[in-house]
Amino acid sequence: MNIPTRLLRLPAALALLTAVAAAHAAPPAGDPRALVEDSYVRIRAVSERATSQAELTRDVIAILGRLIDWSAFSRLTLTPPVWDALTPARRARFEAAYEAYIIERYAQRFKPGTGFRVAFRGPTELAEDRSSAIVRTTVTVPSGEREVGADVDYAFVASRRGDESVWLIEDIVTDTVSRAHTYRPIFTRIYRERGFDALIEAIEKNSKRDRAGKGGD
């Protein structure tokens, strides 16, 4: 029996795909809490030395931006059906606008020239297969003559960065309110009623408003 050469190569190809899939799903090493601890140390340092909110926001973007899986965060916010329907160019455009929007909001919690306190609420909550984890914190910041605290929790997922399996954030939950779930109905409504360009314009408009110090939570 003469078997085509391409069929003889099929088992090897399947084995390679299986190996790639297994590598992609490999759980990251370490505890993601260490990433949160390090980011807070760095954000505290830039908060204390920053002379303006713009400077502080720029530094927070540099610190926090690399900790977030913006593709996963965006997919969770828009829902998989909407995200999957977008072209790669539109996904990239949404991620860029969304990143600026989220970090502008996050950075507003910290004020230039001041510090803050962080407490971890229990150990990291790891999924059995280490594919996801939650790190729970409470952040207390000065507000006039008093302090204001908020529970800020980070939902991590196992992600890829090059050939490495790493922990990255896919959602930020503030006082039990998920960022992704909060914006999902708003973004979905704008997208369905007015289209993709209108959604990006709305996000960018709110980012500019936050940058001017007129945003909310």
Side-chain angles (χ1 to χ4, degrees):
M1 180 185 299
N2 292 323
I3 301 175
T5 303
R6 67 178 183 277
L7 293 183
L8 289 173
R9 289 197 294 263
L10 185 58
L14 290 175
L16 177 60
L17 288 174
T18 300
V20 170
H24 182 79
D31 187 335
R33 170 172 169 159
L35 300 174
V36 177
E37 289 175 332
D38 178 68
S39 69
Y40 274 136
V41 167
R42 296 170 65 190
I43 291 173
R44 183 185 292 111
V46 301
S47 296
E48 291 173 348
R49 71 168 181 261
T51 57
S52 69
Q53 192 67 48
E55 178 186 353
L56 176 57
T57 299
R58 181 200 65 206
D59 290 339
V60 170
I61 289 173
I63 294 168
L64 188 65
R66 283 183 53 80
L67 282 183
I68 296 179
D69 185 329
W70 290 107
S71 179
F73 206 158
S74 298
R75 182 184 179 89
L76 187 63
T77 302
L78 291 182
T79 74
V82 174
W83 182 251
D84 291 344
L86 298 180
T87 63
R90 285 191 164 188
R91 290 180 186 179
R93 189 178 172 197
F94 179 85
E95 285 182 26
Y98 194 39
E99 177 176 356
Y101 181 59
I102 289 294
I103 295 183
E104 289 284 353
R105 285 288 173 102
Y106 185 90
Q108 291 294 328
R109 291 189 169 276
F110 309 108
K111 302 304 177 185
T114 63
F116 56 87
R117 293 185 292 107
V118 178
F120 285 84
R121 304 192 329 274
T124 301
E125 299 171 19
L126 278 169
E128 288 187 13
D129 61 358
R130 291 182 61 88
S131 64
S132 62
I134 298 176
V135 178
R136 302 188 186 278
T137 74
T138 297
V139 182
T140 304
V141 298
S143 180
E145 297 181 353
R146 61 191 183 94
E147 292 185 323
V148 176
D151 291 340
V152 184
D153 303 337
Y154 301 91
F156 282 86
V157 289
S159 302
R160 300 294 298 178
R161 179 167 284 159
D163 295 331
E164 186 181 7
S165 182
V166 296
W167 287 115
L168 291 178
I169 296 166
E170 74 165 352
D171 196 8
I172 299 173
V173 180
T174 304
D175 289 335
T176 73
V177 179
S178 158
R179 289 299 187 202
H181 292 174
T182 295
Y183 299 132
R184 181 184 297 166
I186 302 169
F187 289 0
T188 300
R189 177 178 54 79
I190 295 173
Y191 176 77
R192 289 177 176 170
E193 294 179 357
R194 296 162 51 196
F196 179 79
D197 289 340
L199 172 59
I200 298 301
E201 289 172 6
I203 294 172
E204 291 177 343
K205 180 179 179 180
N206 278 277
S207 291
K208 290 178 182 178
R209 184 186 64 186
D210 289 344
R211 201 171 299 124
K214 300 176 182 178
D217 200 21

